Amino acid sequence: MIKVSVVGAKGRMGSHVVDAVNGAADIELALALDAGDDLSGITPENTDVVVEFTVPSVSLNNVLALVRQGVDVVVGTTGWTDEKLDQVRAALAEAPRDNQSVFIAPNFAISAVLADYFAKVAAPYFESAEVIELHHPNKVDAPSGTAIHTAHAIADARNAAGLGEVPDNTETDGGSRGQVVDGIHVHAVRLRGLNAHEEVLFGNAGEQLTIRADSFDRISFMPGVLLAVRKIATGDYSGLTVGLDHFLDL
Ligand SMILES: NC(=O)C1=CN([C@@H]2O[C@H](COP(=O)(O)OP(=O)(O)OC[C@H]3O[C@@H](n4cnc5c(N)ncnc54)[C@H](O)[C@@H]3O)[C@@H](O)[C@H]2O)C=CC1
Ligand SMILES: O=C(O)C1=N[C@H](C(=O)O)C[C@H](O)C1
């Protein structure tokens, strides 16, 4: 049995993770903690893998503390920057156990991971590319972690193919052109009734390709979370790994 503790267990995602863990035959719930609880009770004796879904402002400190406590961590919380990832790598280099792991996924839904992958494949073939993410209005961060990840992936693929900047003759912009992430314009919509959605638009003269992923329910993230828990529990992924695509043979 894989022993899993959930941090952020009372949240929208954390509560689904608790249910998913309770429903998995090979995984058992150790601790379910939320804001105000003491994370120091999570130890290698009671926990193999921690699943962390909290808020961007606290996630880094939680992950650093858990690494120091000797446990592996699967993280779904957004807000990761290169600087924060470097801090995680540094903590792992000093970790108390050999081969400790942290796994971070901007998105655990198969539709979103594949949309990201297809966008990377398409990116070198189009002059224009923009990302639109659409979410429920309770989301605290914009743009979404997934949209930032997609924009970086598109930019990397464009750079590798020798493409220049996307064409854009805008002279006045009060914010309507979105946030520019690595040269790619990213737009965020917040609308009651939505859950988590992303559209990647590609354009050439006379043609357009749209790649769209829709997550209508948070249960869509659970197979990816459990896959990550099982993979990390093997001990084969020491260090920091970012992105569920690493586990999907893409
Ligand atoms: N990677 C993925 O596939 C997905 C990622 N997310 C991300 O997961 C994060 C959480 O999203 P939601 O569950 O919708 O948010 P939420 O606000 O419903 O839940 C966050 C939970 O964290 C708790 N929390 C706050 N500070 C804490 C602390 N210091 N220690 C422990 N718990 C603490 C809160 O009390 C709350 O219960 C967000 O960053 C969101 O963007 C959301 C959906 C899918
Ligand atoms: O807050 C959410 O809901 C989601 N957050 C993640 C993100 O910011 O990309 C993943 C998914 O889009 C749902």
Coordinates of all heavy atoms in Angstrom, one line a residue, residues 1-42:
M1 N 0.8 -1.2 0.0 CA 0.0 0.0 0.0 C 0.9 1.3 0.0 O 1.8 1.3 0.8 CB -0.9 0.0 1.3 CG -2.0 -0.9 1.3 SD -3.3 -0.5 0.1 CE -4.6 0.0 1.1
I2 N 0.5 2.2 -0.8 CA 1.2 3.5 -0.8 C 0.5 4.4 0.2 O -0.8 4.6 0.1 CB 1.1 4.1 -2.2 CG1 1.7 3.2 -3.3 CG2 1.9 5.5 -2.2 CD1 1.4 3.6 -4.7
K3 N 1.2 5.0 1.1 CA 0.6 5.9 2.1 C 0.7 7.3 1.7 O 1.8 7.8 1.4 CB 1.4 5.7 3.5 CG 1.1 4.3 4.1 CD 2.0 4.1 5.3 CE 3.5 3.8 4.9 NZ 4.4 3.6 6.0
V4 N -0.5 7.9 1.5 CA -0.5 9.3 1.0 C -1.1 10.3 2.0 O -2.2 10.0 2.6 CB -1.4 9.3 -0.3 CG1 -1.8 10.8 -0.7 CG2 -0.6 8.7 -1.5
S5 N -0.4 11.4 2.2 CA -1.0 12.5 3.0 C -1.4 13.6 2.1 O -0.7 13.8 1.1 CB 0.0 13.0 4.0 OG 0.1 12.1 5.1
V6 N -2.5 14.3 2.4 CA -3.0 15.4 1.5 C -2.9 16.7 2.3 O -3.4 16.8 3.4 CB -4.5 15.1 1.1 CG1 -5.0 16.2 0.2 CG2 -4.6 13.7 0.4
V7 N -2.2 17.6 1.6 CA -2.1 19.0 2.2 C -3.0 19.9 1.4 O -2.8 20.0 0.1 CB -0.7 19.5 2.3 CG1 -0.6 20.9 2.7 CG2 0.1 18.5 3.2
G8 N -3.9 20.6 2.0 CA -4.9 21.4 1.3 C -6.2 20.5 1.2 O -7.0 20.7 0.3
A9 N -6.4 19.6 2.1 CA -7.4 18.6 2.0 C -8.8 19.1 2.0 O -9.7 18.4 1.6 CB -7.2 17.6 3.1
K10 N -9.0 20.3 2.5 CA -10.4 20.8 2.6 C -10.8 21.6 1.3 O -11.9 22.1 1.2 CB -10.6 21.7 3.8 CG -10.6 20.9 5.1 CD -10.8 21.8 6.3 CE -10.7 21.0 7.6 NZ -10.6 21.9 8.8
G11 N -9.8 21.8 0.4 CA -10.0 22.7 -0.7 C -10.8 21.9 -1.8 O -11.1 20.7 -1.7
R12 N -11.1 22.7 -2.9 CA -11.8 22.0 -4.0 C -11.1 20.8 -4.6 O -11.6 19.8 -4.8 CB -12.0 23.1 -5.1 CG -13.1 24.2 -4.8 CD -13.2 25.2 -5.9 NE -12.0 26.0 -6.0 CZ -11.9 27.2 -5.4 NH1 -12.9 27.7 -4.7 NH2 -10.8 27.9 -5.5
M13 N -9.7 21.0 -4.8 CA -9.0 19.9 -5.3 C -8.6 18.9 -4.3 O -8.7 17.7 -4.5 CB -7.7 20.4 -6.0 CG -7.9 21.1 -7.4 SD -8.6 19.9 -8.6 CE -7.2 18.8 -8.8
G14 N -8.2 19.4 -3.1 CA -7.7 18.5 -2.0 C -8.8 17.5 -1.6 O -8.5 16.3 -1.4
S15 N -10.1 18.0 -1.5 CA -11.1 17.1 -1.1 C -11.4 16.0 -2.2 O -11.7 14.9 -1.8 CB -12.4 17.9 -0.8 OG -12.8 18.7 -1.9
H16 N -11.2 16.4 -3.4 CA -11.3 15.3 -4.5 C -10.2 14.3 -4.4 O -10.4 13.1 -4.6 CB -11.3 16.0 -5.9 CG -12.6 16.4 -6.4 ND1 -13.2 17.6 -6.0 CD2 -13.5 15.8 -7.2 CE1 -14.4 17.7 -6.6 NE2 -14.6 16.6 -7.4
V17 N -9.0 14.8 -4.0 CA -7.9 13.9 -3.9 C -8.1 12.9 -2.7 O -7.9 11.7 -2.8 CB -6.5 14.7 -3.7 CG1 -5.4 13.7 -3.4 CG2 -6.2 15.5 -4.9
V18 N -8.7 13.4 -1.6 CA -9.0 12.5 -0.5 C -9.9 11.4 -0.9 O -9.7 10.2 -0.6 CB -9.6 13.4 0.7 CG1 -10.2 12.4 1.8 CG2 -8.5 14.3 1.3
D19 N -11.0 11.8 -1.7 CA -11.9 10.8 -2.2 C -11.3 9.8 -3.1 O -11.5 8.6 -3.1 CB -13.1 11.5 -2.9 CG -14.0 12.3 -2.0 OD1 -13.9 12.1 -0.8 OD2 -14.8 13.1 -2.5
A20 N -10.4 10.3 -4.0 CA -9.7 9.5 -5.0 C -8.8 8.5 -4.3 O -8.7 7.3 -4.6 CB -8.9 10.3 -6.0
V21 N -8.1 9.0 -3.3 CA -7.2 8.1 -2.5 C -8.0 7.0 -1.8 O -7.7 5.8 -1.8 CB -6.3 8.9 -1.5 CG1 -5.7 8.1 -0.4 CG2 -5.3 9.8 -2.3
N22 N -9.1 7.4 -1.1 CA -9.9 6.5 -0.4 C -10.6 5.4 -1.4 O -10.9 4.3 -1.0 CB -11.1 7.2 0.3 CG -10.5 7.9 1.6 OD1 -9.5 7.4 2.2 ND2 -11.1 9.0 2.0
G23 N -10.7 5.8 -2.7 CA -11.3 4.9 -3.6 C -10.3 4.0 -4.3 O -10.6 3.1 -5.1
A24 N -9.0 4.2 -4.1 CA -7.9 3.4 -4.8 C -7.5 2.2 -3.9 O -7.2 2.4 -2.7 CB -6.7 4.3 -5.1
A25 N -7.5 1.0 -4.5 CA -7.2 -0.2 -3.8 C -5.8 -0.3 -3.3 O -5.5 -0.9 -2.2 CB -7.5 -1.4 -4.7
D26 N -4.8 0.4 -4.0 CA -3.4 0.3 -3.7 C -2.9 1.5 -2.9 O -1.7 1.6 -2.7 CB -2.6 0.1 -5.0 CG -2.8 1.2 -6.0 OD1 -3.9 1.8 -5.9 OD2 -1.9 1.5 -6.8
I27 N -3.8 2.4 -2.5 CA -3.3 3.6 -1.9 C -4.2 3.8 -0.6 O -5.4 3.6 -0.6 CB -3.5 4.9 -2.8 CG1 -2.8 4.6 -4.1 CG2 -2.9 6.1 -2.1 CD1 -2.9 5.8 -5.1
E28 N -3.5 4.3 0.5 CA -4.3 4.5 1.7 C -4.0 5.9 2.2 O -2.9 6.5 2.0 CB -4.0 3.5 2.8 CG -2.7 3.5 3.4 CD -2.5 2.4 4.4 OE1 -3.4 1.6 4.6 OE2 -1.4 2.4 5.0
L29 N -5.0 6.6 2.8 CA -4.9 7.9 3.3 C -4.2 7.9 4.7 O -4.6 7.2 5.6 CB -6.3 8.6 3.4 CG -6.3 10.0 3.8 CD1 -5.7 10.9 2.7 CD2 -7.7 10.5 4.1
A30 N -3.1 8.7 4.8 CA -2.4 8.8 6.1 C -3.0 10.0 6.8 O -3.9 9.9 7.6 CB -0.9 9.0 5.8
L31 N -2.6 11.2 6.4 CA -3.1 12.5 7.1 C -3.7 13.4 6.1 O -3.3 13.4 4.9 CB -1.9 13.2 7.7 CG -1.1 12.5 8.8 CD1 0.2 13.2 9.2 CD2 -2.0 12.3 10.0
A32 N -4.8 14.0 6.5 CA -5.5 15.0 5.6 C -5.4 16.4 6.4 O -6.0 16.6 7.4 CB -6.9 14.6 5.4
L33 N -4.5 17.3 5.9 CA -4.3 18.5 6.6 C -4.6 19.7 5.8 O -4.7 19.7 4.5 CB -2.8 18.6 6.9 CG -2.2 17.4 7.7 CD1 -0.7 17.6 8.0 CD2 -2.9 17.3 9.1
D34 N -4.9 20.8 6.5 CA -5.3 22.1 5.7 C -4.7 23.3 6.5 O -3.9 23.1 7.4 CB -6.8 22.2 5.6 CG -7.3 23.1 4.4 OD1 -7.4 24.3 4.7 OD2 -7.4 22.5 3.3
A35 N -5.1 24.5 6.1 CA -4.5 25.7 6.7 C -4.6 25.6 8.2 O -5.7 25.2 8.8 CB -5.3 26.9 6.2
G36 N -3.6 26.0 8.9 CA -3.6 26.0 10.4 C -3.1 24.7 11.0 O -2.7 24.6 12.2
D37 N -3.0 23.6 10.2 CA -2.5 22.3 10.7 C -1.0 22.3 10.7 O -0.4 23.0 9.8 CB -3.1 21.2 9.9 CG -4.6 21.0 10.1 OD1 -5.1 21.4 11.1 OD2 -5.2 20.5 9.1
D38 N -0.4 21.6 11.6 CA 1.0 21.5 11.6 C 1.5 20.4 10.7 O 1.2 19.2 10.9 CB 1.4 21.2 13.1 CG 2.9 21.1 13.3 OD1 3.7 21.4 12.3 OD2 3.3 20.8 14.4
L39 N 2.3 20.8 9.7 CA 2.8 19.8 8.7 C 3.9 18.9 9.2 O 4.2 17.9 8.6 CB 3.3 20.5 7.4 CG 2.3 21.4 6.6 CD1 2.9 21.7 5.2 CD2 1.0 20.8 6.5
S40 N 4.4 19.3 10.4 CA 5.6 18.5 10.9 C 5.2 17.1 11.3 O 6.1 16.2 11.5 CB 6.3 19.2 12.1 OG 5.4 19.3 13.2
G41 N 3.9 16.8 11.4 CA 3.5 15.4 11.7 C 3.6 14.5 10.6 O 3.5 13.3 10.7
I42 N 3.9 15.0 9.4 CA 4.1 14.2 8.2 C 5.5 13.7 8.2 O 6.5 14.5 8.1 CB 3.8 15.0 6.9 CG1 2.3 15.5 6.9 CG2 4.0 14.1 5.7 CD1 1.9 16.3 5.7

